[in-house]
């Protein structure tokens, strides 16, 4: 059997040593995902731990010493790691640790083929041409828009938009598929795009989906509830503020976690507070707990 471990900065020598003990005694395979998240000082010791049971395997031993304990060794044990070299916040592996693993280079997946298959699974009949437009838009956005830390034009973002498009397709099967995808791409991405990039992004969409127009789909009941609770809170019901609240609600439909980013005094706190009040107004019980990240 294989066990997957998501590595983090909190992993230390003892926790990794205990994992290796368990793997060696059961003969299981262990895959350490994003291995170079672990601090460099821990990785240096890990090299010794891995080397100890690899040497025992080469010598066909039944037991070996690990961290001062005599451990039973099942010869089917295996250790695999995945990592993103040169990625922000990642550590370069020590040379003595690199020498213990056989490297395997990976290629970038065919995003257009993945997109086409996902569109077909969501019920789109014109999956191939739409997939080409989708990937073209994301490729151009990556090249032409400004570099922002929260921008994501990769596979995770692609899958999220395709899920949105699939939901819109099932809700309105009579609407043209190109319009459905255009709406999903526009309405899901605009909330995260900074103001100076929005005109460029909208022009890209209009060029790829030339001649198509479709209005933004907004829940009238939610919109009315937002306006009501905003007035009750003594705030102004400006169109942009109401839109930001509805955009946050739409993001929560497809994301488990959302960051509200902006400068001081731009209304970030009031946006999510009004959304909670509006959802409670509609009978959707919503609660929140404020945490101090510095605590």
């Amino acid at each position: 059997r294989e066990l997957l471990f998501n590595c983090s900065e909190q992993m230390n020598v003892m926790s990794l040593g205990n994992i290796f003990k368990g793997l060696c005694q059961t003969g299981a395979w262990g895959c350490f995902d994003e291995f170079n998240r672990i601090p460099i000082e821990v990785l240096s010791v890990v090299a010794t731990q891995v080397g100890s049971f690899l040497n025992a395997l080469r010598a066909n031993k039944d037991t070996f010493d690990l961290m001062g304990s005599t451990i039973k060794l099942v010869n089917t044990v295996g250790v695999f790691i995945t990592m993103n070299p040169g990625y922000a916040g990642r550590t370069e592996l020590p040379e003595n640790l690199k020498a213990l693993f056989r490297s395997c280079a990976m290629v970038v997946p065919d995003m257009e083929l993945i997109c086409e298959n996902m569109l077909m699974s969501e019920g789109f009949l014109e999956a191939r041409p739409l997939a080409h437009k989708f990937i073209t838009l994301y490729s151009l956005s990556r090249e032409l828009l400004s570099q922002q830390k929260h921008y994501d034009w990769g596979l995770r973002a692609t899958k999220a938009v395709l899920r949105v498009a699939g939901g819109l397709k099932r809700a309105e099967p009579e609407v043209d598929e190109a319009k459905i995808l255009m709406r999903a791409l526009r309405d899901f991405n605009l909330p995260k795009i900074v103001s100076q990039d929005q005109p460029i992004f909208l022009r890209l969409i209009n060029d790829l989906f030339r001649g198509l127009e479709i209005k933004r789909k907004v829940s009238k009941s939610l919109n009315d509830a937002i306006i009501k609770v905003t007035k009750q809170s003594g705030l102004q019901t400006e169109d942009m503020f109401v839109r930001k609240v509805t955009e946050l609600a739409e993001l929560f439909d497809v994301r488990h976690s959302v960051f509200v980013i902006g400068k001081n005094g731009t209304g970030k706190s009031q946006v999510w507070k009004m959304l909670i009040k509006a959802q409670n107004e509609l009978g959707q019980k919503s609660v929140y707990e404020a945490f101090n990240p510095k605590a």
Side-chain angles (χ1 to χ4, degrees):
R1 61 178 178 173
E2 182 180 339
L3 302 171
L4 176 65
F5 303 95
N6 293 312
C7 299
S8 68
E9 296 85 353
Q10 284 72 43
M11 281 186 160
N12 55 38
V13 173
M14 290 301 297
S15 63
L16 284 164
N18 289 330
I19 291 173
F20 292 139
K21 285 180 181 179
L23 293 174
C24 290
Q25 292 179 95
T26 59
W29 289 4
C31 180
F32 295 83
D33 190 31
E34 300 199 49
F35 194 63
N36 56 339
R37 278 179 177 240
I38 301 172
I40 184 68
E41 58 272 14
V42 177
L43 291 176
S44 299
V45 182
V46 168
T48 306
Q49 295 174 337
V50 175
S52 63
F53 72 76
L54 287 180
N55 290 332
L57 283 171
R58 292 190 190 100
N60 293 318
K61 292 183 179 180
D62 295 325
T63 61
F64 74 106
D65 183 78
L66 180 62
M67 297 172 61
S69 302
T70 301
I71 304 297
K72 183 182 76 169
L73 179 62
V74 179
N75 62 8
T76 56
V77 64
V79 175
F80 306 85
I81 63 173
T82 68
M83 54 184 284
N84 295 314
Y87 204 71
R90 303 295 190 269
T91 308
E92 184 67 26
L93 290 189
E95 290 300 323
N96 61 338
L97 186 57
K98 281 183 182 179
L100 299 175
F101 292 93
R102 182 183 298 172
S103 62
C104 177
M106 308 298 291
V107 297
V108 177
D110 187 339
M111 294 287 287
E112 190 167 325
L113 185 59
I114 293 172
C115 185
E116 180 184 342
N117 280 276
M118 288 196 66
L119 282 170
M120 286 191 289
S121 70
E122 293 288 354
F124 283 79
L125 300 177
E126 301 174 16
R128 181 164 296 177
L130 292 178
H132 181 70
K133 290 183 178 183
F134 190 117
I135 300 305
T136 301
L137 175 66
Y138 269 33
S139 299
L140 291 172
S141 297
R142 187 184 294 109
E143 295 170 6
L144 299 178
L145 301 191
S146 63
Q147 298 297 314
Q148 303 289 333
K149 288 184 178 180
H150 65 280
Y151 283 0
D152 182 10
W153 310 109
L155 185 57
R156 286 191 182 93
T158 299
K159 291 176 69 176
V161 175
L162 290 173
R163 285 197 298 271
V164 172
L168 294 172
K169 168 74 174 172
R170 288 185 289 275
E172 298 177 305
E174 73 284 351
V175 178
D176 181 61
E177 290 182 348
K179 289 185 177 181
I180 291 286
L181 185 62
M182 177 186 175
R183 176 194 281 168
L185 285 165
R186 182 194 63 200
D187 295 351
F188 179 80
N189 285 298
L190 272 181
K192 69 180 182 184
I193 295 177
V194 295
S195 56
Q196 63 264 32
D197 285 338
Q198 286 190 5
I200 302 172
F201 183 76
L202 289 173
R203 281 201 297 271
L204 288 174
I205 287 184
N206 291 333
D207 287 344
L208 286 167
F209 297 90
R210 192 172 295 279
L212 295 182
E213 288 186 16
I214 187 166
K215 292 183 179 179
R216 185 167 168 268
K217 188 176 182 181
V218 180
S219 169
K220 188 176 185 306
S221 57
L222 176 62
N223 201 68
D224 293 343
I226 292 169
I227 293 173
K228 180 179 178 181
V229 298
T230 302
K231 288 179 177 178
Q232 290 174 349
S233 301
L235 302 174
Q236 295 181 352
T237 57
E238 294 183 356
D239 291 342
M240 182 54 70
F241 179 80
V242 174
R243 175 166 183 159
K244 286 298 176 185
V245 180
T246 57
E247 286 177 346
L248 182 60
E250 290 167 359
L251 286 174
F252 271 122
D253 287 338
V254 293
R255 293 288 196 186
H256 298 296
S257 177
V258 176
F259 284 78
V260 183
I261 302 173
K263 295 181 180 179
N264 294 338
T266 54
K268 300 186 298 296
S269 298
Q270 293 303 328
V271 165
W272 63 261
K273 286 177 181 177
M274 291 306 107
L275 177 59
I276 288 173
K277 289 182 178 180
Q279 289 178 336
N280 284 323
E281 179 73 20
L282 294 172
Q284 304 169 12
K285 185 179 178 182
S286 302
V287 295
Y288 75 91
E289 188 71 42
F291 292 94
N292 182 359
K294 298 178 183 178

